[in-house]
Amino acid sequence: MYPVLQYFVVPFIHGVVLTLVLLLCVAYLTFMERKVIAFMQVRIGPNRVGPRGLLQPIADVVKLLIKEDLTPDAANRVIFYIAPVIATLSTIAAFAVIPYGGPEATVSIFGFPIRPYLADVNVGILYVISISSIGVFGIVLGGWASNSKYPLLGGLRSAAQMISYEVPFGLAIIGVLMVTGTASLVEIVQWQQQHTWLFWLQPFAVVLFFIAGVAENNRAPFDLPEAESELVAGFHTEYSGFKFAFFFLAEYIAMIVVSALVVTLFFGGWLPVTFGLGHLFPKLPALLSGAWGGPWVMLLFGMGWVFIKVFFMLYLYLWIRATFPRYRYDQLMNIGWKFMIPASLAWIVLTGAGILAVQAIRS
Amino acid sequence: MYQTSELEINMGPQHPATHGVLRLVLRLDGETIVEVKPVIGYLHRGVEKLSENRGYRSVTPLTDRLDYCAAFAENHSYVGAVEKLLGVEVPPRAQAMRVVLAELQRIASHLIWLATHGLDIGAMTIFLYAFREREKCLDLFEGYCGARLTYNALRIGGVPQEFPDGWTEALRRFLDELPTRIAQYETLLTGNRIWRLRTEGVGVIDARTALGLGLTGPTLRGSGVDYDVRKYAPYENYRDYAFDIPVGSKGDTYDRYLIRMEEMRQSRRIILQALEALPDGPILAKVAGRIRPPKGAEAYFMTESPRGEMSVYLVSDGTDKPYRVRFRSPCFNNLQGLPTLSKGHMVADVVALIGSIDIVLGCVDR
Amino acid sequence: MSDQDQPKPPQPPAPPPAPAPAAPAAAKEKAPDPLAAEVSSPALERLRAVHGAALVEVRFWAGLPLVEVGREQLVPVMTFLRDDPSCRFDHLSTCFATDVPERAEAPLEMTYCLFSWPTRQLLAVKVRTTAETPIPTVSAIWPSADWNEREAFDMVGIRFQGHPNLTRILLPDDWTGHPLRRDYPLEGKPGDHKVYR
């Protein structure tokens, strides 16, 4: 009808809304992190701002906004400013292809169809991996541009770490591609709808993918680039105020992206959890996915399932952080190169053998 | 032409992992340590000079400020030195009470060590768990002497007061739950693969080098030397109690960790024995109101503080002020071993090693 | 601060190296204190037998043998104390400097507290010097003496011959003066440091 509106304005608004929702999620993810870890550490956590501390993230944002924004004298100003932007934008962009509902949950607003994902790219997985690896530039450049020793060390560590773990991160997905035969995230979930969660077929790949994801995000126990007891604050030592907030955002959005990827690739994305009862009660999946109530209900249910599953993955992140000590730099590299990469390669071989075996049995 | 050069990093005096105001000048080859040079003195308050200008009794509060994580141990060695100088015999009941308090202090100090050591290596939860129990130790100290950190809980010739009503019961309750708590910490750390990777084989030091460097306490015992002042130069009535001195075999950070965990259990054992056989009698020996040891009197009193051998050397010139007070601080001597310990390791290991030798900067700089 | 250095200027000649040191030392006390009684110490017996000539004075207080040795014999005596099987002073507990201005001929005194955990003996070895005359370092015998000697240099101003790195340790490098000297006021001297005062 109005191509300009449909292909430029509407996706733009969609993206803006998605970003805003994402930012809100990050704000409450920090709150959740503090509360969950407090709970694990027999503390109370933030409970002063608002009812049960629920306004704490807002207060944090306001604090970061009105804080003095320092730039070191010796810093390379341009790169110093750009680095946090690169880090944040690349992680936000990765969210564009993550579906939070099936194509059947497409709703129409003012006559424009709004699909529950920004884009269904047929190379979705490649897109996510490549765009999220741009994030490392933000960190390396931020560490280098600070012109200070601790950030430099942090930046170097993070460059080595992210490059090392990108390999198993990508290799762990190969098995999924081999099984489903598509790289589009929407189609992968649809494949899971027809067959079963890929988790049951690729359990080891999930473990590898998640570990590599934690390392990619510089989260504990792989938080070496910002190991506070060694490098003060790592690459963002010299950052303050809103530039710091951008790095902070990047880290938490990256957490959400990796969690959403795990959910989409292995745990059936927007598909409902039927606890294996789908075969006993054939109507259960339709009931739980909201198929009884039209696209809006399906959209809501799909988002709800994605939200719940992502929530559990994020909880896992926090749980790991509260439990484990930090690895040392050389040990991290050992795990990356001597365990993760060979293991993921072996898993690809095993998957291939499995596929051949299934084909042989079927024919 | 590419060339590499060593990076010199200034770690501290303001740094999250240097346990105060320690400054380390690190020369790095990549992430590997080429040289560590500790620079100390940022917390130097001249306690030895101050002590020369105060009466014997007024020095005790200063000793609180040396090792503020184990103030009782510092009180103890100073008061013991004055008693030795004067030839005062402490009543048996006071001796037993001192042992109870000293061992409680050891537990509290080892708990704070565990907390910070864990945090340095990145185990965050252990920090709060250990502080939970340390809080109970501090409550007990507060119940006894009214202070939570700087106790000043001893008098020359004995202890100031009996244990208050209900105090020993509270102590017993704490000791009853302590083994389960230690087991909890060990569940988190001892078998933890990452913890073992981070501590095993890090900072190995053999017994001869460790002795030569003057390391004492758990840092030395990790190398297999069972030198503990409580056994080798017993003071108070430590002779009367049965306890073991845990020693390590490899002399690495993991051994030192295990030793401190075991020492907490042994301290509990000592306290229980001391409470069981608390003798009756006075708690304060008769000491002249104005302490004036004869001229030329000199005494050296060694105690086993949680961090190692804490000793005080006193010289008298016949006046009511000590002529010279020397605090032999375990942290000062243990820190001296840090360059040897960290040779060839990585930046992250230095942090683990600072935690492992368990220094308190107040004690290092005096 | 009042009782610091009551001027006792005379006390002229150095006490000659006493051949049988313990007896005169005890006799100097007006009424011999029971705490000053001699205690048996196998290490001291051995030391007397082997290095008797190096001992300037031997006193006791509360069971602690205080042995003063001559500057020149310090290293041989210390090496002997560490290596002799009946001494085995493996552990230099601490060493520190004292300023005794009333002893004008050698006002600075270095005390080494030795503990032998295998034989469970404690021994204090003293050596006297002046601000100008260095004494040999024992950091080659016990590496732990390194920092302690630096502190003695920093605080009292004793110089050590052969010390690997004799710089200030607790005070800033550009401090002037040695605060643990008796004539150094408690509050410090004006101008003893350019930045801080």
Side-chain angles (χ1 to χ4, degrees):
Chain A
M1 184 160 48
Y2 301 105
V4 175
L5 279 182
Q6 182 164 2
Y7 293 110
F8 291 96
V9 179
V10 170
F12 179 75
I13 295 171
H14 190 170
V16 168
V17 170
L18 204 61
T19 309
L20 289 179
V21 170
L22 207 54
L23 294 185
L24 198 69
C25 286
V26 167
Y28 277 89
L29 174 57
T30 63
F31 181 69
M32 168 183 159
E33 169 165 39
R34 291 167 73 175
K35 274 289 189 191
V36 165
I37 290 184
F39 163 70
M40 288 175 182
Q41 296 173 342
V42 287
R43 296 185 281 129
I44 296 170
N47 67 340
R48 293 282 154 169
V49 190
R52 293 174 171 265
L54 275 172
L55 295 182
Q56 183 69 43
I58 315 294
D60 286 344
V61 171
V62 171
K63 181 204 77 175
L64 282 172
L65 268 173
I66 59 177
K67 239 180 155 179
E68 188 186 357
D69 205 350
L70 294 166
T71 308
D73 265 352
N76 185 327
R77 282 173 174 271
V78 177
I79 297 176
F80 192 73
Y81 274 82
I82 291 176
V85 178
I86 296 176
T88 315
L89 283 189
S90 61
T91 45
I92 293 179
F95 221 81
V97 293
I98 292 184
Y100 47 91
E104 61 275 15
T106 304
V107 296
S108 82
I109 301 174
F110 302 124
F112 296 110
I114 309 285
R115 290 172 303 168
Y117 36 83
L118 200 53
D120 178 12
V121 190
N122 58 0
V123 288
I125 290 180
L126 283 181
Y127 168 78
V128 171
I129 290 176
S130 49
I131 201 100
S132 66
S133 54
I134 292 177
V136 71
F137 286 103
I139 290 175
V140 174
L141 292 177
W144 176 79
S146 305
N147 204 355
S148 165
K149 285 173 182 173
Y150 284 116
L152 181 65
L153 268 183
L156 285 176
R157 278 185 177 190
S158 122
Q161 175 176 340
M162 291 178 106
I163 289 165
S164 311
Y165 277 82
E166 218 133 72
V167 184
F169 189 72
L171 287 178
I173 307 180
I174 303 271
V176 175
L177 299 183
M178 289 161 73
V179 173
T180 59
T182 172
S184 151
L185 291 169
V186 178
E187 284 172 23
I188 287 174
V189 179
Q190 282 172 334
W191 189 92
Q192 297 182 62
Q193 194 168 16
Q194 287 153 18
H195 300 85
T196 178
W197 283 7
L198 277 163
F199 170 72
W200 305 115
L201 304 175
Q202 300 273 317
F204 190 58
V206 182
V207 177
L208 287 177
F209 185 75
F210 188 68
I211 294 176
V214 173
E216 275 272 291
N217 293 354
N218 302 329
R219 292 290 299 182
F222 305 106
D223 54 345
L224 296 152
E226 46 193 302
E228 62 163 18
S229 58
E230 299 148 29
L231 301 184
V232 188
F235 59 88
H236 58 62
T237 306
E238 304 289 350
Y239 280 89
S240 62
F242 220 61
K243 292 203 286 290
F244 167 74
F246 263 62
F247 273 127
F248 200 70
L249 268 181
E251 181 179 331
Y252 281 83
I253 295 176
M255 270 168 77
I256 298 179
V257 167
V258 169
S259 303
L261 270 181
V262 173
V263 167
T264 312
L265 293 177
F266 299 102
F267 292 97
W270 67 81
L271 302 178
V273 183
T274 54
F275 306 103
L277 300 174
H279 297 292
L280 291 176
F281 307 100
K283 284 192 177 154
L284 196 65
L287 184 73
L288 290 177
S289 64
W292 42 269
W296 278 102
V297 178
M298 285 184 79
L299 179 68
L300 277 180
F301 271 68
M303 284 167 78
W305 285 116
V306 171
F307 183 82
I308 290 171
K309 290 173 185 172
V310 168
F311 177 85
F312 273 104
M313 295 316 294
L314 290 172
Y315 187 85
L316 202 55
Y317 262 99
L318 307 182
W319 193 1
I320 290 173
R321 177 174 170 208
T323 312
F324 289 119
R326 187 181 299 121
Y327 274 111
R328 203 171 60 200
Y329 182 69
D330 56 329
Q331 294 161 351
L332 178 95
M333 289 294 140
N334 278 349
I335 295 166
W337 291 97
K338 292 188 187 163
F339 170 70
M340 300 281 288
I341 294 179
S344 47
L345 286 171
W347 183 252
I348 292 171
V349 174
L350 211 63
T351 308
I355 292 171
L356 283 180
V358 169
Q359 281 173 352
I361 290 166
R362 281 195 184 153
S363 60
Chain B
M1 270 297 281
Y2 291 106
Q3 56 176 16
T4 58
S5 62
E6 285 167 353
L7 179 68
E8 195 169 271
I9 273 201
N10 205 10
M11 202 177 194
Q14 281 87 31
H15 186 281
T18 52
H19 292 217
V21 285
L22 173 65
R23 177 176 158 213
L24 296 174
V25 181
L26 306 178
R27 275 206 294 121
L28 300 181
D29 174 15
E31 286 253 346
T32 315
I33 305 286
V34 179
E35 191 192 1
V36 178
K37 214 172 86 195
V39 181
I40 62 172
Y42 289 90
L43 205 56
H44 178 59
R45 292 146 298 174
V47 170
E48 287 175 9
K49 180 81 179 171
L50 282 170
S51 309
E52 288 172 10
N53 293 279
R54 290 174 156 229
Y56 280 93
R57 286 181 212 276
S58 323
V59 174
T60 340
L62 290 180
T63 62
D64 284 334
R65 274 86 184 162
L66 291 176
D67 178 353
Y68 38 75
C69 291
F72 185 85
E74 320 287 296
N75 292 166
H76 196 173
S77 51
Y78 173 73
V79 168
V82 179
E83 283 156 2
K84 205 166 179 186
L85 197 68
L86 297 169
V88 171
E89 186 67 32
V90 180
R93 185 175 176 81
Q95 290 193 9
M97 287 170 73
R98 282 181 177 186
V99 168
V100 169
L101 291 168
E103 295 304 316
L104 184 61
Q105 178 69 84
R106 193 180 313 280
I107 294 174
S109 172
H110 280 0
L111 283 172
I112 199 174
W113 159 80
L114 177 67
T116 50
H117 188 40
L119 194 65
D120 285 346
I121 296 188
M124 185 185 173
T125 304
I126 192 80
F127 178 79
L128 289 130
Y129 283 9
F131 259 69
R132 176 183 59 192
E133 268 66 68
R134 177 178 181 255
E135 191 67 17
K136 290 177 182 154
C137 290
L138 295 193
D139 285 346
L140 285 166
F141 269 107
E142 189 182 11
Y144 180 66
C145 64
R148 293 172 63 81
L149 204 62
T150 50
Y151 307 124
N152 196 11
L154 286 176
R155 300 291 176 269
I156 292 161
V159 289
Q161 55 175 345
E162 292 282 353
F163 293 138
D165 290 341
W167 194 86
T168 43
E169 288 72 32
L171 176 58
R172 275 179 198 279
R173 275 199 300 280
F174 169 69
L175 293 178
D176 284 344
E177 69 162 32
L178 188 66
T180 49
R181 296 305 191 193
I182 296 176
Q184 206 174 42
Y185 310 146
E186 296 231 47
T187 321
L188 265 174
L189 297 181
T190 305
N192 188 324
R193 203 181 133 75
I194 306 181
W195 180 262
R196 296 186 70 148
L197 273 175
R198 285 299 304 276
T199 52
E200 276 180 329
V202 172
V204 179
I205 189 162
D206 64 288
R208 189 130 291 279
T209 322
L211 263 175
L213 280 168
L215 306 187
T216 47
T219 318
L220 174 67
R221 293 195 280 274
S223 306
V225 183
D226 68 338
Y227 168 50
D228 185 316
V229 182
R230 291 175 294 173
K231 283 276 191 209
Y232 280 95
Y235 51 101
E236 309 303 355
N237 57 356
Y238 272 110
R239 263 196 200 86
D240 304 346
Y241 306 118
F243 61 98
D244 302 326
I245 305 294
V247 291
S249 49
K250 293 194 285 293
D252 57 4
T253 306
Y254 187 65
D255 273 358
R256 296 191 275 271
Y257 155 76
L258 288 179
I259 283 170
R260 289 196 176 94
M261 297 305 265
E262 181 57 30
E263 274 188 9
M264 281 196 264
R265 295 200 190 93
Q266 295 298 333
S267 292
R268 173 179 177 271
R269 206 171 138 199
I270 297 173
I271 299 180
L272 285 177
Q273 290 174 50
L275 285 180
E276 208 55 54
L278 204 60
D280 288 328
I283 53 165
L284 199 58
K286 246 186 146 47
V287 180
R290 202 171 144 87
I291 296 175
R292 296 181 61 157
K295 185 172 166 57
E298 300 188 17
Y300 192 56
F301 186 68
M302 311 200 293
T303 60
E304 182 74 19
S305 102
R307 279 155 244 288
E309 181 200 318
M310 171 76 207
S311 326
V312 175
Y313 197 101
L314 273 174
V315 182
S316 157
D317 64 344
T319 64
D320 56 355
K321 292 171 184 167
Y323 187 78
R324 177 80 167 89
V325 185
R326 167 67 178 181
F327 295 101
R328 189 268 183 209
S329 106
C331 307
F332 181 78
N333 287 273
N334 288 357
L335 183 59
Q336 209 176 152
L338 184 64
T340 316
L341 283 170
S342 50
K343 204 161 278 171
H345 286 300
M346 309 191 98
V347 187
D349 292 330
V350 175
V351 173
L353 284 170
I354 297 172
S356 172
I357 58 175
D358 193 15
I359 49 165
V360 166
L361 265 292
C363 190
V364 172
D365 292 346
R366 282 154 292 141
Chain C
M1 298 246 308
S2 59
D3 62 320
Q4 277 193 23
D5 28 304
Q6 275 115 18
K8 287 179 191 165
Q11 269 230 358
K28 253 193 270 177
E29 306 275 334
K30 276 154 209 137
D33 196 300
L35 284 171
E38 179 164 348
V39 292
S40 75
S41 160
L44 189 56
E45 300 308 317
R46 281 287 292 157
L47 190 61
R48 272 185 175 139
V50 180
H51 283 282
L55 309 187
V56 180
E57 187 191 358
V58 176
R59 289 192 293 137
F60 291 87
W61 191 268
L64 171 69
L66 305 159
V67 181
E68 193 191 325
V69 299
R71 248 193 326 266
E72 293 74 26
Q73 288 86 16
L74 181 68
V75 170
V77 166
M78 288 305 206
T79 316
F80 169 80
L81 284 174
R82 186 191 63 178
D83 295 336
D84 187 77
S86 68
C87 302
R88 290 191 62 190
F89 286 101
D90 281 333
H91 178 48
L92 172 66
S93 186
T94 189
C95 59
F96 62 94
T98 315
D99 179 27
V100 192
E102 52 204 77
R103 243 184 353 236
E105 76 291 345
L108 304 185
E109 180 182 281
M110 194 69 193
T111 310
Y112 301 86
C113 296
L114 306 178
F115 184 69
S116 160
W117 56 272
T119 65
R120 307 188 184 199
Q121 303 175 77
L122 196 56
L123 182 71
V125 178
K126 288 171 178 272
V127 61
R128 287 181 185 163
T129 185
T130 60
E132 291 76 34
T133 334
I135 59 176
T137 175
V138 297
S139 59
I141 305 171
W142 294 283
S144 72
D146 183 340
W147 280 21
N148 286 299
E149 286 181 346
R150 276 175 71 187
E151 195 186 340
F153 164 74
D154 192 0
M155 290 297 162
V156 179
I158 295 184
R159 271 155 228 291
F160 294 92
Q161 205 168 30
H163 191 281
N165 175 26
L166 195 64
T167 49
R168 289 194 182 266
I169 182 164
L170 291 175
L171 298 178
D173 282 341
D174 44 358
W175 195 274
T176 51
H178 300 283
L180 272 182
R181 293 262 178 94
R182 299 300 290 189
D183 56 358
Y184 198 92
L186 180 61
E187 296 82 9
K189 280 180 187 160
D192 52 10
H193 191 265
K194 298 193 283 296
V195 178
Y196 303 122
R197 302 183 68 87

